[in-house]
Amino acid sequence: MTSAPSHGFDADHTDLKTPQDWLAEFDAAARRPLKTRFRYAFIHTYKPVLDDEPYRAFDTMEEYRQWCEDHLPDWLGYGRI
Amino acid sequence: MAAFEYRQAEEIRDAFARYSVRYLFIGKSGAILLGFPDTTQDADLFVEKSPENGRGLVAALKDIGFDLNQQQSEEIVRGKDFVQLKNGPFDLDLVFAPDGIEKFADAWERRIEVEGFPVCHPDDIIASKEAAGRAKDRESLPRLKSFREYWLRNR
Protein backbone atom coordinates (compact mmCIF):
# COMPACT_ATOMS: atom_id res chain seq x y z
CA MET A 1 0.00 0.00 0.00
CA THR A 2 1.08 3.53 -0.69
CA SER A 3 -0.12 6.67 0.97
CA ALA A 4 -1.78 9.55 -0.84
CA PRO A 5 0.25 11.71 -3.20
CA SER A 6 1.30 15.12 -2.03
CA HIS A 7 1.43 17.03 -5.26
CA GLY A 8 0.70 20.73 -5.30
CA PHE A 9 2.02 24.10 -6.25
CA ASP A 10 5.57 23.05 -7.05
CA ALA A 11 4.45 20.25 -9.35
CA ASP A 12 6.99 18.67 -11.67
CA HIS A 13 6.20 19.57 -15.29
CA THR A 14 9.02 17.73 -17.02
CA ASP A 15 6.57 15.72 -19.11
CA LEU A 16 6.67 17.46 -22.48
CA LYS A 17 4.04 15.21 -24.07
CA THR A 18 1.16 16.35 -21.90
CA PRO A 19 -0.72 19.40 -23.20
CA GLN A 20 -0.16 22.46 -21.04
CA ASP A 21 -3.86 22.94 -20.43
CA TRP A 22 -4.11 19.43 -18.99
CA LEU A 23 -1.16 20.12 -16.70
CA ALA A 24 -2.85 23.30 -15.54
CA GLU A 25 -6.01 21.31 -14.77
CA PHE A 26 -4.03 18.66 -12.87
CA ASP A 27 -2.33 21.40 -10.83
CA ALA A 28 -5.62 23.09 -10.07
CA ALA A 29 -7.19 19.80 -8.94
CA ALA A 30 -4.18 19.04 -6.76
CA ARG A 31 -4.70 22.31 -4.91
CA ARG A 32 -8.33 21.49 -4.08
CA PRO A 33 -9.33 19.56 -0.97
CA LEU A 34 -10.86 16.17 -1.66
CA LYS A 35 -14.31 17.37 -0.59
CA THR A 36 -14.19 20.09 -3.23
CA ARG A 37 -12.96 17.67 -5.87
CA PHE A 38 -15.99 15.50 -5.10
CA ARG A 39 -18.36 18.42 -5.53
CA TYR A 40 -16.91 19.24 -8.94
CA ALA A 41 -16.54 15.65 -10.14
CA PHE A 42 -19.75 13.81 -9.32
CA ILE A 43 -22.75 14.80 -11.38
CA HIS A 44 -26.02 13.10 -12.05
CA THR A 45 -27.95 13.05 -15.27
CA TYR A 46 -30.59 10.55 -16.27
CA LYS A 47 -29.25 7.69 -18.38
CA PRO A 48 -32.01 5.99 -20.37
CA VAL A 49 -32.54 2.27 -19.72
CA LEU A 50 -29.54 2.12 -17.38
CA ASP A 51 -31.31 4.15 -14.70
CA ASP A 52 -34.67 2.47 -15.11
CA GLU A 53 -34.12 -0.52 -12.83
CA PRO A 54 -33.15 -0.38 -9.15
CA TYR A 55 -30.99 -3.50 -9.29
CA ARG A 56 -29.16 -5.52 -11.93
CA ALA A 57 -26.65 -8.31 -11.52
CA PHE A 58 -24.60 -10.20 -14.06
CA ASP A 59 -22.78 -13.48 -13.61
CA THR A 60 -19.90 -12.41 -15.83
CA MET A 61 -18.46 -9.14 -17.13
CA GLU A 62 -18.96 -10.46 -20.65
CA GLU A 63 -22.68 -10.87 -19.92
CA TYR A 64 -22.79 -7.27 -18.62
CA ARG A 65 -20.90 -5.86 -21.61
CA GLN A 66 -23.21 -7.72 -23.99
CA TRP A 67 -26.28 -6.46 -22.16
CA CYS A 68 -25.00 -2.89 -22.49
CA GLU A 69 -24.48 -3.32 -26.22
CA ASP A 70 -27.90 -4.90 -26.71
CA HIS A 71 -29.95 -2.51 -24.61
CA LEU A 72 -28.28 0.88 -24.21
CA PRO A 73 -28.28 3.67 -26.79
CA ASP A 74 -24.95 3.92 -28.60
CA TRP A 75 -24.47 7.54 -27.59
CA LEU A 76 -24.05 6.55 -23.93
CA GLY A 77 -20.70 5.07 -24.95
CA TYR A 78 -21.02 1.69 -23.22
CA GLY A 79 -20.50 -0.26 -26.44
CA ARG A 80 -17.15 -1.86 -27.15
CA ILE A 81 -15.01 -0.54 -29.97
CA MET B 1 -31.24 10.81 -7.42
CA ALA B 2 -28.69 13.43 -6.41
CA ALA B 3 -25.00 13.29 -7.24
CA PHE B 4 -22.64 11.21 -5.12
CA GLU B 5 -21.21 13.27 -2.26
CA TYR B 6 -18.11 13.17 -0.11
CA ARG B 7 -20.13 12.33 3.02
CA GLN B 8 -21.57 9.32 1.19
CA ALA B 9 -18.07 8.13 0.36
CA GLU B 10 -17.37 8.46 4.07
CA GLU B 11 -20.45 6.34 4.80
CA ILE B 12 -19.07 3.64 2.51
CA ARG B 13 -15.67 3.84 4.13
CA ASP B 14 -17.05 3.67 7.66
CA ALA B 15 -19.70 1.00 7.08
CA PHE B 16 -17.33 -1.20 5.10
CA ALA B 17 -14.73 -0.85 7.85
CA ARG B 18 -17.29 -1.97 10.47
CA TYR B 19 -17.78 -5.22 8.56
CA SER B 20 -14.14 -5.55 7.43
CA VAL B 21 -15.16 -5.46 3.78
CA ARG B 22 -12.22 -5.54 1.40
CA TYR B 23 -12.83 -3.16 -1.51
CA LEU B 24 -11.16 -0.54 -3.67
CA PHE B 25 -12.47 2.51 -5.48
CA ILE B 26 -11.90 1.86 -9.17
CA GLY B 27 -12.78 3.50 -12.47
CA LYS B 28 -13.13 7.21 -12.84
CA SER B 29 -14.34 7.60 -9.26
CA GLY B 30 -11.05 6.06 -8.10
CA ALA B 31 -9.07 8.35 -10.39
CA ILE B 32 -10.96 11.36 -9.01
CA LEU B 33 -9.99 10.36 -5.48
CA LEU B 34 -6.37 10.37 -6.66
CA GLY B 35 -6.79 13.90 -8.04
CA PHE B 36 -7.89 13.33 -11.63
CA PRO B 37 -10.01 16.32 -12.68
CA ASP B 38 -12.97 14.92 -14.54
CA THR B 39 -16.66 14.19 -14.06
CA THR B 40 -18.50 10.95 -13.47
CA GLN B 41 -21.96 9.81 -12.50
CA ASP B 42 -21.48 7.17 -9.85
CA ALA B 43 -19.02 5.33 -7.69
CA ASP B 44 -17.43 2.06 -8.77
CA LEU B 45 -16.13 -0.34 -6.16
CA PHE B 46 -13.91 -3.35 -6.85
CA VAL B 47 -14.92 -5.80 -4.14
CA GLU B 48 -13.10 -8.98 -3.20
CA LYS B 49 -15.20 -11.95 -4.19
CA SER B 50 -15.58 -14.31 -1.26
CA PRO B 51 -18.63 -15.44 0.74
CA GLU B 52 -17.29 -13.84 3.92
CA ASN B 53 -16.60 -10.52 2.20
CA GLY B 54 -19.97 -10.74 0.45
CA ARG B 55 -21.81 -11.19 3.76
CA GLY B 56 -20.04 -8.16 5.21
CA LEU B 57 -20.76 -6.20 2.05
CA VAL B 58 -24.50 -6.93 2.21
CA ALA B 59 -24.63 -5.94 5.89
CA ALA B 60 -22.71 -2.72 5.20
CA LEU B 61 -24.92 -1.82 2.22
CA LYS B 62 -28.06 -2.35 4.30
CA ASP B 63 -26.60 -0.13 7.05
CA ILE B 64 -26.03 2.62 4.48
CA GLY B 65 -29.62 2.34 3.29
CA PHE B 66 -29.61 0.07 0.24
CA ASP B 67 -32.84 -1.87 -0.09
CA LEU B 68 -31.66 -5.40 -0.83
CA ASN B 69 -34.13 -8.25 -0.76
CA GLN B 70 -33.26 -11.82 0.14
CA GLN B 71 -32.53 -12.90 -3.42
CA GLN B 72 -30.34 -9.89 -4.16
CA SER B 73 -28.42 -10.37 -0.92
CA GLU B 74 -27.83 -14.01 -1.76
CA GLU B 75 -26.63 -13.13 -5.24
CA ILE B 76 -24.09 -10.70 -3.85
CA VAL B 77 -22.84 -13.20 -1.28
CA ARG B 78 -22.70 -16.00 -3.84
CA GLY B 79 -20.66 -13.79 -6.13
CA LYS B 80 -21.75 -12.11 -9.34
CA ASP B 81 -19.13 -10.38 -11.49
CA PHE B 82 -21.06 -7.12 -11.69
CA VAL B 83 -23.89 -5.63 -9.64
CA GLN B 84 -25.54 -2.30 -10.32
CA LEU B 85 -27.35 -0.72 -7.37
CA LYS B 86 -29.82 2.10 -7.77
CA ASN B 87 -31.93 1.11 -4.80
CA GLY B 88 -30.20 3.16 -2.13
CA PRO B 89 -29.20 6.70 -1.21
CA PHE B 90 -26.82 6.88 -4.20
CA ASP B 91 -25.93 4.83 -7.27
CA LEU B 92 -23.22 2.25 -6.81
CA ASP B 93 -21.56 -0.23 -9.16
CA LEU B 94 -20.00 -3.28 -7.54
CA VAL B 95 -17.38 -4.93 -9.71
CA PHE B 96 -16.08 -8.27 -8.55
CA ALA B 97 -14.02 -9.16 -11.61
CA PRO B 98 -12.97 -6.03 -13.50
CA ASP B 99 -11.56 -6.53 -16.96
CA GLY B 100 -7.78 -6.26 -17.06
CA ILE B 101 -7.08 -7.11 -13.40
CA GLU B 102 -6.33 -10.73 -12.67
CA LYS B 103 -6.77 -10.91 -8.90
CA PHE B 104 -8.13 -8.67 -6.19
CA ALA B 105 -5.10 -9.46 -4.04
CA ASP B 106 -2.75 -7.99 -6.64
CA ALA B 107 -4.71 -4.74 -6.84
CA TRP B 108 -4.95 -4.64 -3.04
CA GLU B 109 -1.16 -4.82 -2.76
CA ARG B 110 -0.82 -1.88 -5.13
CA ARG B 111 -3.60 0.21 -3.57
CA ILE B 112 -3.30 3.86 -2.60
CA GLU B 113 -4.90 5.25 0.56
CA VAL B 114 -6.48 8.69 0.18
CA GLU B 115 -7.94 10.05 3.43
CA GLY B 116 -8.78 6.50 4.48
CA PHE B 117 -10.31 5.56 1.13
CA PRO B 118 -8.65 2.55 -0.49
CA VAL B 119 -8.13 3.28 -4.19
CA CYS B 120 -6.78 1.22 -7.06
CA HIS B 121 -3.38 2.25 -8.36
CA PRO B 122 -3.67 4.34 -11.56
CA ASP B 123 -2.07 1.47 -13.48
CA ASP B 124 -4.96 -0.80 -12.48
CA ILE B 125 -7.57 1.83 -13.30
CA ILE B 126 -6.01 2.28 -16.73
CA ALA B 127 -5.65 -1.49 -17.28
CA SER B 128 -9.31 -2.07 -16.53
CA LYS B 129 -10.44 0.72 -18.85
CA GLU B 130 -8.16 -0.48 -21.64
CA ALA B 131 -9.42 -4.04 -21.28
CA ALA B 132 -13.08 -2.97 -21.20
CA GLY B 133 -12.60 -1.30 -24.57
CA ARG B 134 -15.71 0.84 -24.38
CA ALA B 135 -16.10 3.99 -26.43
CA LYS B 136 -16.44 6.17 -23.33
CA ASP B 137 -13.29 4.69 -21.80
CA ARG B 138 -11.26 5.10 -24.96
CA GLU B 139 -12.15 8.79 -25.01
CA SER B 140 -10.91 9.40 -21.49
CA LEU B 141 -7.79 7.21 -21.62
CA PRO B 142 -5.26 9.66 -23.14
CA ARG B 143 -5.96 12.25 -20.46
CA LEU B 144 -6.02 9.60 -17.74
CA LYS B 145 -2.63 8.30 -18.90
CA SER B 146 -1.22 11.83 -18.80
CA PHE B 147 -2.60 12.19 -15.29
CA ARG B 148 -0.87 8.95 -14.31
CA GLU B 149 2.48 10.42 -15.42
CA TYR B 150 1.76 13.62 -13.51
CA TRP B 151 0.67 11.69 -10.41
CA LEU B 152 3.79 9.50 -10.45
CA ARG B 153 6.09 12.51 -10.79
CA ASN B 154 4.42 14.48 -8.02
CA ARG B 155 3.30 11.91 -5.48
Side-chain angles (χ1 to χ4, degrees):
Chain A
M1 184 187 76
T2 314
S3 59
S6 58
H7 43 221
F9 297 99
D10 54 351
D12 179 348
H13 287 170
T14 54
D15 173 14
L16 300 176
K17 291 175 294 184
T18 299
Q20 286 301 310
D21 56 336
W22 288 4
L23 288 173
E25 289 168 10
F26 299 161
D27 281 347
R31 290 189 199 101
R32 294 180 197 121
L34 185 55
K35 268 187 192 178
T36 308
R37 292 210 301 271
F38 258 74
R39 204 163 57 240
Y40 291 168
F42 288 95
I43 55 169
H44 195 273
T45 54
Y46 169 72
K47 296 186 289 299
V49 185
L50 201 63
D51 287 344
D52 294 345
E53 288 290 332
Y55 174 93
R56 285 193 188 92
F58 299 88
D59 285 327
T60 66
M61 289 305 288
E62 173 56 30
E63 196 181 294
Y64 167 61
R65 302 280 181 227
Q66 194 59 53
W67 179 86
C68 290
E69 290 180 358
D70 293 345
H71 294 88
L72 300 181
D74 289 346
W75 58 264
L76 278 178
Y78 282 72
R80 287 169 288 197
I81 297 172
Chain B
M1 179 65 63
F4 186 60
E5 298 173 13
Y6 180 81
R7 65 172 177 81
Q8 294 170 324
E10 288 182 308
E11 286 179 32
I12 291 175
R13 182 189 65 196
D14 297 345
F16 281 32
R18 277 198 298 280
Y19 294 97
S20 303
V21 179
R22 296 231 298 175
Y23 73 103
L24 298 160
F25 279 86
I26 193 171
K28 212 183 266 184
S29 59
I32 287 162
L33 275 159
L34 296 173
F36 184 51
D38 209 331
T39 55
T40 190
Q41 303 242 32
D42 40 37
D44 305 313
L45 302 181
F46 178 14
V47 189
E48 185 176 43
K49 191 192 262 192
S50 74
E52 187 185 358
N53 207 48
R55 281 188 287 273
L57 173 62
V58 167
L61 290 170
K62 287 180 174 174
D63 273 12
I64 293 169
F66 283 90
D67 183 23
L68 297 171
N69 64 29
Q70 184 70 23
Q71 184 193 331
Q72 293 164 351
S73 300
E74 285 171 6
E75 283 182 345
I76 292 173
V77 172
R78 199 164 61 239
K80 295 276 184 178
D81 272 7
F82 186 83
V83 176
Q84 197 171 59
L85 299 175
K86 296 178 185 293
N87 54 1
F90 47 86
D91 293 349
L92 195 60
D93 287 348
L94 306 173
V95 194
F96 293 84
D99 297 310
I101 301 176
E102 201 164 322
K103 288 188 295 187
F104 180 88
D106 296 341
W108 181 257
E109 281 301 307
R110 292 188 286 266
R111 76 187 183 281
I112 312 297
E113 289 276 351
V114 181
E115 297 188 15
F117 300 105
V119 184
C120 278
H121 190 281
D123 289 347
D124 287 323
I125 294 172
I126 289 168
S128 68
K129 285 193 172 294
E130 282 183 327
R134 300 179 301 184
K136 72 193 203 92
D137 294 324
R138 289 293 170 90
E139 284 169 14
S140 63
L141 269 169
R143 192 160 171 272
L144 186 55
K145 286 179 177 177
S146 285
F147 173 74
R148 172 198 177 271
E149 298 301 314
Y150 174 92
W151 182 86
L152 287 173
R153 283 196 312 275
N154 295 291
R155 57 193 299 189

